[in-house]
Amino acid sequence: MDSLCRGVFAGNSRELSVRSCFPSLFQAERTHRSVLLGLLLGAGQSPQPDSALISQARAERWSQWSLRGGLETLPQALNTHLTSRGVRILRGQPVCGLSLQADRRWKVSLGDSSLDADHVISAVPASVLGKLLPAEAAPLARALSAITAVSVAVVNLQYRGARLPVQGFGHLVPSSEDPGVLGIVYDSVAFPEQDGSPPGLRVTVMLGGSWLQTLEARGAVFSQELLQQQAQEAAATQLGLKEPPSHCLVHLHKNCIPQYTLGHWQKLEAATQFLASQRLPLTLAGASYEGVAVNDCIESGRQAAARVLGSEPDS
């Protein structure tokens, strides 16, 4: 469980909530007093949305998916789709604050300008939204600000003429072995068509999480060179890739994975009750609430749109 929590949430298994992080395990144990028995009997499985693509994924038993041009093509396609239909997308204009006007509409402050909104769907991290809310929404701000996040460094390495000693999706590293390395993904095994020309072995080393958070709190500064060195050492020690990589990309994602610590569901309940009691025209979406994966965020956005439109989420 330590490795699993590090791989999914980059977090400390002693601090995370099973109920919020792995709800199917929680429900299975609650229903049958046994995680394994509950899973075997199908407890904890919530109804899944259906579509032609989802049916294909089930039939072909996908374990993961990607896009030919990388996952960045997803937001690019969304941008093209929306702007072609007259939607205005503002870039480079961070929101500085939200204030509720007498007519129950939001005034969204953008620094040197502002705009009025009938309804706001917030997909920014919960702690960021907490700082933007007005004073009359202080109870909501407190609940949201309590949802913290950790930073993760992602290091992409490519090796010419190298081979992996094992095949698979990748491996996770327990904190007892190396607290700094979360795991390594074998990108070339899952998607060899993205290996380039001439092809080269690709792996992604994930560093940081709660371990990085601890060092950051002590004032440590992480350079790209240091993160690359640590990633190369992990690849050499754990996979035998001792030659220098032909290509390397290093990205440090600050506060990128929310932490569903003990009591997370109570924070969500408090936020939901406040929004309902005050009838605020605000909908919460994104990774801070009920799932941190890309699929979870897509589903969160879909449900948020359905709630605002007053339609059923599965329609």
Side-chain angles (χ1 to χ4, degrees):
M1 287 304 298
D2 173 76
S3 300
L4 180 62
C5 289
R6 281 160 56 81
V8 177
F9 288 89
N12 186 337
S13 61
R14 295 170 178 81
E15 299 175 355
L16 296 177
S17 163
V18 171
R19 176 172 181 164
S20 298
C21 295
F22 307 103
S24 61
L25 300 184
F26 173 82
Q27 192 60 43
E29 194 279 335
R30 194 176 192 183
T31 304
H32 296 281
R33 297 186 179 182
S34 166
V35 171
L36 294 179
L37 179 61
L39 291 177
L40 287 172
L41 297 176
Q45 297 181 1
S46 57
Q48 298 295 315
D50 206 1
S51 71
L53 184 62
I54 293 174
S55 298
Q56 180 184 356
R58 288 173 179 157
E60 298 176 2
R61 303 182 69 178
W62 295 2
S63 60
Q64 54 190 310
W65 61 273
S66 186
L67 302 171
R68 291 188 183 92
L71 289 181
E72 69 175 355
T73 56
L74 177 58
Q76 289 171 350
L78 286 171
N79 176 72
T80 300
H81 176 82
L82 293 172
T83 53
S84 68
R85 286 159 175 77
V87 175
R88 187 163 59 108
I89 298 178
L90 305 179
R91 295 185 180 85
Q93 298 190 47
V95 176
C96 301
L98 295 170
S99 58
L100 202 58
Q101 303 176 95
D103 60 357
R104 305 295 291 175
R105 300 180 75 211
W106 290 107
K107 180 180 180 181
V108 183
S109 300
L110 302 173
D112 57 355
S113 64
S114 65
L115 57 85
D116 293 336
D118 298 314
H119 198 103
V120 169
I121 297 178
S122 172
V124 299
S127 58
V128 174
L129 177 60
K131 297 175 183 177
L132 300 175
L133 292 171
E136 55 264 38
L140 175 60
R142 283 194 296 270
L144 297 179
S145 298
I147 302 175
T148 59
V150 296
S151 303
V152 174
V154 178
V155 183
N156 305 105
L157 301 171
Q158 186 167 37
Y159 297 86
R160 298 296 185 196
R163 298 185 64 180
L164 288 170
V166 292
Q167 297 293 298
F169 170 77
H171 68 265
L172 300 174
V173 182
S175 58
S176 58
E177 291 194 17
D178 191 335
V181 180
L182 302 171
I184 303 180
V185 179
Y186 312 157
D187 302 299
S188 289
V189 175
F191 304 109
E193 51 273 270
Q194 295 181 343
D195 283 346
S197 181
L201 175 67
R202 295 176 301 114
V203 298
T204 296
V205 184
M206 297 171 291
L207 309 166
S210 58
W211 166 83
L212 187 62
Q213 188 179 38
T214 301
L215 294 183
E216 286 178 326
R218 297 174 184 170
V221 178
F222 296 91
S223 65
Q224 289 204 344
E225 292 76 18
L226 179 62
L227 294 172
Q228 178 178 344
Q229 178 185 352
Q230 189 169 2
Q232 288 182 219
E233 289 176 355
T237 302
Q238 299 173 21
L239 294 173
L241 301 174
K242 301 185 182 299
E243 295 297 321
S246 57
H247 293 86
C248 177
L249 293 174
V250 180
H251 293 94
L252 177 58
H253 302 282
K254 302 283 287 185
N255 301 318
C256 63
I257 302 184
Q259 299 296 284
Y260 300 170
T261 53
L262 289 175
H264 180 76
W265 70 273
Q266 294 166 314
K267 300 170 191 174
L268 299 190
E269 193 171 80
T272 301
Q273 289 178 352
F274 184 86
L275 288 171
S277 65
Q278 301 299 312
R279 297 185 178 180
L280 288 182
L282 173 65
T283 300
L284 306 179
S288 293
Y289 308 107
E290 297 183 277
V292 300
V294 173
N295 292 352
D296 295 317
C297 292
I298 292 172
E299 177 63 11
S300 173
R302 191 177 71 91
Q303 291 190 10
R307 287 195 295 271
V308 173
L309 293 173
S311 59
E312 290 296 324
D314 291 338
S315 62

